[in-house]
Amino acid sequence: MASEEHCKYCFDVLSSYLTHAPAPSPSFETDAQYPLFVTWNKRGAHGKFNLRGCIGCLQPLPLSYLKDYALSSAFKDTRFPPVAAHELPHLQCTVSLLTDFEQAAHLDDWEIGVHGVRIDFTDFRNQPRSAVYLPDVIPEQGWTKEETIISLVKKSGCTARVTPELRDRISLTRYKSTKCTVSYEKWRNANSTPAG
């Protein structure tokens, strides 16, 4: 299960990196292995959080890898510039640990709001393609299953129209996720020591 300790550790790692300080050791057991994602969101002018970076791995990794993905999602998500120190107070961190991977019987064999989905296919140029969405992305976007498949095909880098012939090439894997989110304020309060 994803926990607040996982998110707070990602904040520890990011803050230490930005201030050139040594990162503390995790306060949780790191032996368990999960496919995992770290997501940074940033509070905008109207208080709404927007995606600032999200990178993960679909192969099971020890939880010690949260350190690597906390930094990768902050600095290496090519959709965004690297996170700067002045942004730290506006961030929130979500850790997602992925479970229950199953091959779907067909492209509609999953439930919106319950499952994340990954597609794999070979396009008409014989190029292998894949793309994935975490479970919360689809309801947040308000997509139908059909719209999700179209968006995944586009995300994979394939520019072809999603025809019945292309749909026949796609295999879909569904999975579930446990996730936890911690704000900067919650992390800072957990790290502040009362004056005495």
Side-chain angles (χ1 to χ4, degrees), residues 2-174:
S3 73
E4 287 189 1
E5 295 310 309
H6 298 143
C7 299
K8 288 173 184 172
Y9 176 62
C10 291
F11 264 113
D12 288 343
V13 166
L14 180 58
S15 174
S16 299
Y17 185 89
L18 290 169
T19 58
H20 309 288
S25 299
S27 61
F28 48 85
E29 287 295 321
T30 58
D31 294 341
Q33 297 193 13
Y34 294 91
L36 55 87
F37 278 76
V38 176
T39 304
W40 295 105
N41 289 303
K42 182 180 175 182
R43 186 186 293 110
H46 300 291
K48 184 180 177 222
F49 281 93
N50 298 303
L51 183 63
R52 187 64 182 80
C54 178
I55 290 182
C57 180
L58 293 173
Q59 300 304 316
L61 293 170
L63 288 175
S64 56
Y65 275 80
L66 284 172
K67 177 178 182 178
D68 301 87
Y69 285 94
L71 295 176
S72 292
S73 58
F75 301 116
K76 295 182 180 172
D77 187 329
T78 56
R79 297 170 292 180
F80 306 98
V83 167
H86 68 86
E87 295 180 272
L88 191 63
H90 307 286
L91 297 180
Q92 69 173 194
C93 179
T94 299
V95 170
S96 302
L97 303 181
L98 313 186
T99 61
D100 302 313
F101 283 77
E102 300 173 306
Q103 187 68 41
H106 48 80
L107 294 187
D108 292 332
D109 183 24
W110 56 281
E111 204 174 320
I112 293 172
V114 173
H115 295 109
V117 288
R118 184 186 79 205
I119 62 165
D120 295 279
F121 65 101
T122 302
D123 68 17
F124 298 119
R125 294 179 180 162
N126 254 1
Q127 184 80 25
R129 304 276 184 182
S130 68
V132 63
Y133 281 132
L134 294 171
D136 49 339
V137 170
I138 299 146
E140 278 173 8
Q141 296 298 322
W143 289 332
T144 63
K145 291 181 180 181
E146 177 68 22
E147 288 168 333
T148 302
I149 299 301
I150 291 168
S151 181
L152 281 165
V153 168
K154 192 178 197 178
K155 186 180 180 186
S156 79
C158 178
T159 56
R161 228 165 41 83
V162 182
T163 60
E165 187 184 357
L166 181 58
R167 284 177 65 93
D168 285 344
R169 291 171 170 255
I170 298 172
S171 69
L172 185 139
T173 303
R174 65 186 188 192

